[in-house]
């Protein structure tokens, strides 16, 4: 068994800028790396597979789909192993995670309900590519609900603007926006190679 691992873009000797890479960019990297591996001495190119964890669990099926649906596939990925892969659209996944974090913190469903609704609305706006000013209104509402849950007083206008600015920068980052919009289900439904998927 041969295992190949590699540094992300911009890490160690790898070139590129990880901060500007999206899931599709990282899928392209994984595709290229797997094709390189198939060309190495001692490697059976017909038996190369890909293991991915979390986001990697979305990347491996993308690469398998690309390689197996080419016009004339040559030694496409033979299998995938998916560890804790996403199985719903990113926006829904993040809203569900937020709800679970509130639950784990002992916050009641009644207390967190408005924040969860606000979170889902913000995710929907990103998915629908709504104008930035509309997204900002929703993010502002979400931040206010989160502060309310914390029991802290609302900050002054300057502090609130700074907080919303930071949240906007994070949610509109190319990687995050694509993650929110990406739905792995159509890819998984077309996945036609031996696959082991494990979720805890």
């Amino acid at each position: 068994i041969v295992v190949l691992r590699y540094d992300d873009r911009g890490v160690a000797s790898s070139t590129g800028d990880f901060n500007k890479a999206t899931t599709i960019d990282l899928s392209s990297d994984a595709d290229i790396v797997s094709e390189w591996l198939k060309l190495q001495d001692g490697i059976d190119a017909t038996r190369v597979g890909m293991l991915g964890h979390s986001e990697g669990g979305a990347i491996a099926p993308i690469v398998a789909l690309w390689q197996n649906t080419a016009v004339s596939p040559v030694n496409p990925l033979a299998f995938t192993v998916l560890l804790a892969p996403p199985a719903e659209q990113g926006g829904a996944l993040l809203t569900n995670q937020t709800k679970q974090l509130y639950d784990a913190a002992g916050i009641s469903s009644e207390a967190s309900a408005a924040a969860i609704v606000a979170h889902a609305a913000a995710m929907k706006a990103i998915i629908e590519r709504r104008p930035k000013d509309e997204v900002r209104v929703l993010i502002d509402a979400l931040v206010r609900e989160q502060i309310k849950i914390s029991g802290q007083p609302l900050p002054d206008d300057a502090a609130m603007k700074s907080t919303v600015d930071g949240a906007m920068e994070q949610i509109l980052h190319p990687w995050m926006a694509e993650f929110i919009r990406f739905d792995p289900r159509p890819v998984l439904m077309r996945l036609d190679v031996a696959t082991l998927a494990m979720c805890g």
Side-chain angles (χ1 to χ4, degrees):
I1 297 174
V2 174
V3 177
L4 172 63
R5 298 186 64 172
Y6 59 96
D7 291 319
D8 286 325
R9 294 180 178 207
V11 176
S13 297
S14 291
T15 58
D17 186 347
F18 184 78
N19 289 324
K20 293 181 180 176
T22 65
T23 300
I24 296 301
D25 295 325
L26 301 179
S27 298
S28 178
D29 294 346
D31 184 27
I32 292 167
V33 168
S34 71
E35 295 293 4
W36 177 87
L37 179 62
K38 295 170 193 174
L39 299 175
Q40 305 312 301
D41 291 339
I43 298 298
D44 182 349
T46 67
R47 300 178 68 186
V48 172
M50 189 171 292
L51 181 152
H53 171 252
S54 190
E55 182 185 15
I59 288 172
I62 291 171
V63 175
L65 184 62
W66 285 347
Q67 293 189 12
N68 281 280
T69 56
V71 177
S72 299
V74 178
N75 299 326
L77 285 185
F79 65 89
T80 61
V81 178
L82 315 179
L83 305 178
E88 60 185 340
Q89 191 165 29
L93 186 152
L94 292 175
T95 298
N96 287 334
Q97 282 184 344
T98 300
K99 172 71 167 70
Q100 290 173 15
L101 287 170
Y102 286 141
D103 291 347
I107 298 168
S108 70
S109 295
E110 292 77 15
S112 68
I116 297 303
V117 169
H119 192 284
M123 297 297 103
K124 186 172 186 286
I126 297 296
I127 291 167
E128 294 176 351
R129 300 177 188 273
R130 304 268 286 280
K132 204 172 187 178
D133 57 338
E134 291 184 29
V135 174
R136 187 178 184 87
V137 170
L138 295 169
I139 293 298
D140 183 276
L142 173 58
V143 169
R144 290 174 186 277
E145 290 298 337
Q146 290 172 333
I147 293 171
K148 196 181 298 182
I149 288 175
S150 73
Q152 300 295 317
L154 281 175
D156 61 32
D157 289 346
M160 178 63 79
K161 181 181 182 305
S162 177
T163 300
V164 173
D165 285 347
M168 284 290 289
E169 184 176 348
Q170 182 181 21
I171 203 168
L172 294 177
H173 184 279
W175 180 87
M176 179 60 80
E178 183 172 282
F179 180 83
I180 290 168
R181 294 179 184 125
F182 179 68
D183 188 344
R185 292 171 296 182
V187 177
L188 292 171
M189 289 172 66
R190 296 175 63 191
L191 189 59
D192 196 23
V193 298
T195 295
L196 171 64
M198 294 186 286
C199 295

